[in-house]
Amino acid sequence: MAQIFCIANQKGGVGKTTTTVNLAAALAQLGQRVLMIDLDPQGNATMSSGADKRQLELTVYDVLLESASIAEARIKAGGSCGYDVLGANRELSGAEVELVSLERREKRLRRALQAVDGEYDYVLIDCPPSLSLLTLNGLCAATGIIVPMQCEYFALEGLTDLVNTIRQVHANLNSNLQIIGLLRVMFDPRITLQQQVSEDLKAHFGDKVFNTVIPRNVRLAEAPSHGLPGVVFDGAARGSHAFKAFAAELIRRAAPIGPTGGTGSFSPSAAAATQSAMPSTPLPTES
Ligand code: ATP
Ligand code: MG
């Protein structure tokens, strides 16, 4: 069974797409079978995976409207990325309106993924910067959420909305949904405020904060203009090393349990901590 992770944060420009494509490439380099789904009409994850969003014949839009299957619409990422892509372009912004009147509108992606579940170890979904019907499709399909965040004052405020949404999705639509962890990105240790917020995050969320920290690194920012994830564009860059370490940490956290190799679920303690601590933990800004 694939681990299906949404990379989500309704705040814009926090590093969701950068995290999605670099994690996809790093997991692929570690031998994992990966499908990257671009759920954002901006199509940035598609372009950062060596695919031209304007040339796509089929996209996630066709999958959501059930006029194509994932097997029909997916393509190979460019270069030596090593993962599959279900791409997106501006057409996807229309899906929001078109889906509203349709049945099972929030479960379209989940249903489509069932058909390819056995073909992947990881499915990574790049969400748009909103809590929209598109994001809801991602959250309904996912087994977990990875939340990239910058260690800034207002970052914590944004978490409140996200956690409330996750609580509602967990209660009403997808009881499998867990927060896998918070990923500190674009981190600059020279900035005292970032260190303070980072400490606050660890104090409040404990092991829900990933050990790996992604530094601010210009090679990661340059890579999309070459149509590649940083990990593929410049594997030796500091940021690329960090994403490779993050992929390894994620695999360790998601290691199968049980005598027969298990189901790929998270360890009981991690799962329990996620289910109980995360959604119910009061956020720093609420107090
Ligand atoms: P949106 O909400 O618009 O979808 P996003 O959350 O997906 O944005 P990204 O597009 O990944 O954010 O990143 C925003 C900008 O920050 C991009 O220009 C990206 O190249 C840059 N960036 C992301 N991570 C890093 C990093 N670790 N170091 C330097 N630049 C980064
Ligand atoms: Mg993005």
Side-chain angles (χ1 to χ4, degrees), residues 16-17 40 42 44 126-127:
K16 294 179 289 294
T17 301
D40 187 342
Q42 295 181 100
N44 294 345
D126 184 33
C127 290

mmCIF file of all heavy atoms in Angstrom, residues 16-17 40 42 44 126-127, ligand 2:
data_model
loop_
_atom_site.group_PDB
_atom_site.id
_atom_site.type_symbol
_atom_site.label_atom_id
_atom_site.label_comp_id
_atom_site.label_asym_id
_atom_site.label_seq_id
_atom_site.Cartn_x
_atom_site.Cartn_y
_atom_site.Cartn_z
ATOM 1 N N LYS A 16 6.034 24.654 -0.228
ATOM 2 C CA LYS A 16 5.316 23.389 -0.471
ATOM 3 C C LYS A 16 5.834 22.687 -1.726
ATOM 4 O O LYS A 16 6.157 21.501 -1.707
ATOM 5 C CB LYS A 16 3.804 23.655 -0.663
ATOM 6 C CG LYS A 16 3.105 24.164 0.568
ATOM 7 C CD LYS A 16 1.624 24.426 0.307
ATOM 8 C CE LYS A 16 1.366 25.625 -0.566
ATOM 9 N NZ LYS A 16 1.733 26.917 0.026
ATOM 10 N N THR A 17 5.876 23.451 -2.827
ATOM 11 C CA THR A 17 6.264 22.843 -4.100
ATOM 12 C C THR A 17 7.721 22.393 -4.065
ATOM 13 O O THR A 17 8.061 21.295 -4.541
ATOM 14 C CB THR A 17 6.021 23.849 -5.247
ATOM 15 O OG1 THR A 17 4.634 24.192 -5.247
ATOM 16 C CG2 THR A 17 6.403 23.281 -6.585
ATOM 17 N N ASP A 40 -2.154 21.997 -7.882
ATOM 18 C CA ASP A 40 -2.176 23.457 -7.893
ATOM 19 C C ASP A 40 -2.252 23.962 -9.334
ATOM 20 O O ASP A 40 -1.374 23.630 -10.148
ATOM 21 C CB ASP A 40 -0.893 23.972 -7.213
ATOM 22 C CG ASP A 40 -0.902 25.476 -7.023
ATOM 23 O OD1 ASP A 40 -1.695 26.160 -7.701
ATOM 24 O OD2 ASP A 40 -0.104 25.966 -6.211
ATOM 25 N N GLN A 42 -1.363 26.537 -10.559
ATOM 26 C CA GLN A 42 -0.130 27.235 -10.948
ATOM 27 C C GLN A 42 0.810 26.303 -11.723
ATOM 28 O O GLN A 42 1.656 26.760 -12.490
ATOM 29 C CB GLN A 42 0.620 27.755 -9.712
ATOM 30 C CG GLN A 42 -0.110 28.830 -8.927
ATOM 31 C CD GLN A 42 0.710 29.322 -7.730
ATOM 32 O OE1 GLN A 42 1.342 30.355 -7.792
ATOM 33 N NE2 GLN A 42 0.691 28.562 -6.644
ATOM 34 N N ASN A 44 3.373 24.681 -10.794
ATOM 35 C CA ASN A 44 4.805 24.834 -10.498
ATOM 36 C C ASN A 44 5.510 23.497 -10.267
ATOM 37 O O ASN A 44 6.656 23.311 -10.677
ATOM 38 C CB ASN A 44 5.019 25.721 -9.253
ATOM 39 C CG ASN A 44 4.587 27.147 -9.482
ATOM 40 O OD1 ASN A 44 4.386 27.557 -10.623
ATOM 41 N ND2 ASN A 44 4.413 27.906 -8.422
ATOM 42 N N ASP A 126 1.163 17.895 -4.116
ATOM 43 C CA ASP A 126 1.477 19.314 -3.896
ATOM 44 C C ASP A 126 0.170 20.109 -3.886
ATOM 45 O O ASP A 126 -0.517 20.191 -4.904
ATOM 46 C CB ASP A 126 2.389 19.833 -5.018
ATOM 47 C CG ASP A 126 2.823 21.265 -4.785
ATOM 48 O OD1 ASP A 126 2.998 21.646 -3.614
ATOM 49 O OD2 ASP A 126 2.997 22.006 -5.771
ATOM 50 N N CYS A 127 -0.183 20.660 -2.735
ATOM 51 C CA CYS A 127 -1.455 21.370 -2.596
ATOM 52 C C CYS A 127 -1.305 22.854 -2.894
ATOM 53 O O CYS A 127 -0.247 23.439 -2.693
ATOM 54 C CB CYS A 127 -1.999 21.193 -1.176
ATOM 55 S SG CYS A 127 -2.548 19.514 -0.853
HETATM 56 MG MG MG B 2 3.409 25.729 -4.710
#
